[in-house]
Amino acid sequence: MRLTERIIRRLPKTDIHCHLDGCLRPRTVLELADAQGVRLPTRKLPALTRLLKAGPRTRSLGDYLRIFDITLSVMQEREALYRVAFELAEDAAAENVRHLEVRYSPILHRKRRLGWEDIVDSVIAGLRDGGRAHRMTTGVIICGIRSMDPKTSLRLAELAVAYKGKGVLAFDLAGQEKDYPAKAHRAAFQLVLKSNINSTVHAGEAFGPASIGQALHYCGAHRIGHGTRLREDKDLMRYVNDHRIPLEVCLSSNVQTRTVRSVKDHPFGFYLGQGLRVTLNTDSRLISDTSVSKEILLAARAFKLSPYEVKRIIIMGFKSAFLPYAEKARMLRNVSLEIDRIFMDEFPEDYDRGVTSL
Ligand SMILES: [Zn+2]
């Protein structure tokens, strides 16, 4: 049973760790810059595309984050935000993503004094319109930024509260992890928790497991963004496993930021073997030059995954979604049957769906 990208693209999937400002189409960056009179480092599409993709010159999380300066420069108007969100939903739907959670930090879209509501409404509308035609559910995660004043995080948390049940699913903390501990932003998370809103925190990417501990125990995170270095603290790993705390794993991104040396060196396979709730995500379709299908294929090759294991990982993605329980349960039943049907179609001799009972 050989998995190919074509087969993986057919499977229903989730992407629950995906940055809006990392997922533009290169041509859109060019067109938006023209329309808005924004100066780009180059106006040639192939050269711009190269600049926008992390590669050998990206040597750290800092290098990776600097690429966002270019994309953010054209995302300062309502129409631009709508278009980028719409196209991202289309791109995800084209590879059968059925539930898409898109994160971004509205504070980074105020260079032209756009109002908070404009910034959030246009993204929610773009995702909704882009996903509607494709049976895809979408939602927004609002990010605080580690290196900014914690008061800004609190303001962003208030925004998440105002949009609870209206398109915003959760609150996150992103940005430079080293030297900017999550606990400084505790007030924002307290507000989020008190308001019964979901939360996730980027942690264990550019700093060790202590950062994951802070995300869980000071901020009350329900999921962990990356969690790559969790294996360095076995007791915390047991806690994460026992509480079924999902890890939002992004393999390509972790290689590009030098969090791991290669996909094979990533602890994903180890975590899967330990029974942790692991999910596979893009982080940034453009900057990481990837898709959910590519990430699953990378994992399947590096860790020699069987179709049954791929199904388990996809199901864990749906289980980890910030969706109401009843909706999620219904989705899970349908997705499980659909994956079985596709695998039985692709591997008529070998696939036994009994093995995959959950
Ligand atoms: Zn991220």
Side-chain angles (χ1 to χ4, degrees):
M1 289 191 279
R2 212 177 91 76
L3 281 163
T4 61
E5 189 168 343
R6 180 191 61 77
I7 298 172
I8 295 170
R9 283 183 72 88
R10 283 186 70 189
L11 303 171
K13 294 175 282 288
T14 56
D15 192 355
I16 58 173
H17 189 125
C18 173
H19 292 263
L20 181 71
D21 44 347
C23 291
L24 294 77
R25 296 174 185 166
R27 185 173 295 281
T28 300
V29 177
L30 211 53
E31 288 174 9
L32 289 174
D34 279 347
Q36 299 171 15
V38 171
R39 273 191 61 167
L40 295 173
T42 170
R43 291 211 62 266
K44 297 210 165 61
L45 190 60
L48 180 67
T49 306
R50 265 197 307 279
L51 271 181
L52 289 168
K53 288 181 177 170
R57 72 206 150 74
T58 338
R59 306 210 64 82
S60 67
L61 180 60
D63 287 350
Y64 187 88
L65 295 177
R66 267 187 287 283
I67 304 176
F68 288 85
D69 292 342
I70 304 177
T71 56
L72 284 167
S73 70
V74 299
M75 297 172 72
Q76 302 298 328
E77 292 184 2
R78 242 180 20 198
E79 298 72 22
L81 284 167
Y82 176 88
R83 177 173 170 183
V84 169
F86 183 89
E87 291 179 353
L88 166 55
E90 274 192 337
D91 293 347
E95 60 156 338
N96 271 313
V97 169
R98 294 287 167 73
H99 176 68
L100 173 67
E101 296 179 7
V102 175
R103 61 187 73 195
Y104 73 118
S105 187
I107 187 75
L108 303 177
H109 302 271
R110 302 198 76 209
K111 292 197 183 91
R112 295 191 180 187
R113 301 186 180 281
L114 209 52
W116 293 107
E117 282 75 18
D118 286 337
I119 297 169
V120 182
D121 287 338
S122 45
V123 172
I124 292 173
L127 291 176
R128 185 196 56 216
D129 294 351
R132 189 175 275 159
H134 306 278
R135 293 192 297 157
M136 183 172 72
T137 50
T138 59
V140 161
I141 299 176
I142 290 188
C143 304
I145 305 282
R146 282 176 181 268
S147 55
M148 286 189 178
D149 187 333
K151 285 199 195 96
T152 303
S153 296
L154 188 57
R155 177 70 193 92
L156 290 160
E158 286 167 359
L159 200 58
V161 173
Y163 278 87
K164 176 186 172 186
K166 298 175 195 152
V168 170
L169 302 177
F171 184 72
D172 172 38
L173 191 62
Q176 284 287 7
E177 189 177 1
K178 194 171 170 297
D179 300 329
Y180 297 103
K183 66 180 178 188
H185 302 268
R186 219 169 354 178
F189 283 94
Q190 283 303 313
L191 174 65
V192 163
L193 284 172
K194 265 195 324 209
S195 310
N196 302 318
I197 293 178
N198 306 305
S199 67
T200 175
V201 172
H202 280 73
E205 181 188 17
F207 201 78
S211 175
I212 301 170
Q214 274 198 20
L216 296 172
H217 304 313
Y218 286 81
C219 303
H222 301 111
R223 299 195 315 225
I224 292 294
H226 299 292
T228 317
R229 294 183 59 184
L230 178 63
R231 71 171 155 190
E232 294 169 30
D233 184 338
K234 294 290 181 292
D235 195 48
L236 185 62
M237 191 175 84
R238 174 201 54 77
Y239 179 89
V240 167
N241 205 359
D242 289 352
H243 288 270
R244 312 309 297 142
I245 296 163
L247 301 184
E248 305 158 359
V249 174
C250 311
L251 297 171
S252 295
S253 164
N254 279 180
V255 174
Q256 289 153 354
T257 57
R258 305 291 191 263
T259 304
V260 294
R261 280 174 45 197
S262 68
V263 174
K264 276 201 166 73
D265 290 312
H266 197 286
F268 177 83
F270 171 68
Y271 292 157
L272 191 67
Q274 294 291 309
L276 267 92
R277 187 165 285 176
V278 281
T279 65
L280 285 171
N281 308 280
T282 56
D283 211 7
S284 301
R285 286 176 173 269
L286 167 63
I287 295 174
S288 283
D289 192 17
T290 195
S291 63
V292 184
S293 305
K294 277 191 193 172
E295 294 298 305
I296 293 175
L297 188 65
L298 279 176
R301 286 188 179 153
F303 308 109
K304 304 202 176 4
L305 304 179
S306 67
Y308 307 114
E309 287 168 309
V310 166
K311 179 180 176 188
R312 215 177 110 217
I313 293 162
I314 290 176
I315 292 289
M316 286 195 278
F318 283 96
K319 282 186 172 174
S320 307
F322 286 142
L323 281 171
Y325 179 71
E327 191 179 341
K328 194 149 72 172
R330 195 171 53 243
M331 210 180 237
L332 272 165
R333 272 193 301 276
N334 292 336
V335 161
S336 177
L337 289 171
E338 189 178 345
I339 296 175
D340 282 339
R341 269 198 302 271
I342 293 168
F343 279 154
M344 282 191 287
D345 175 40
E346 296 286 349
F347 309 114
E349 306 294 312
D350 312 312
Y351 188 73
D352 173 8
R353 74 170 159 187
V355 179
T356 66
S357 60
L358 298 164

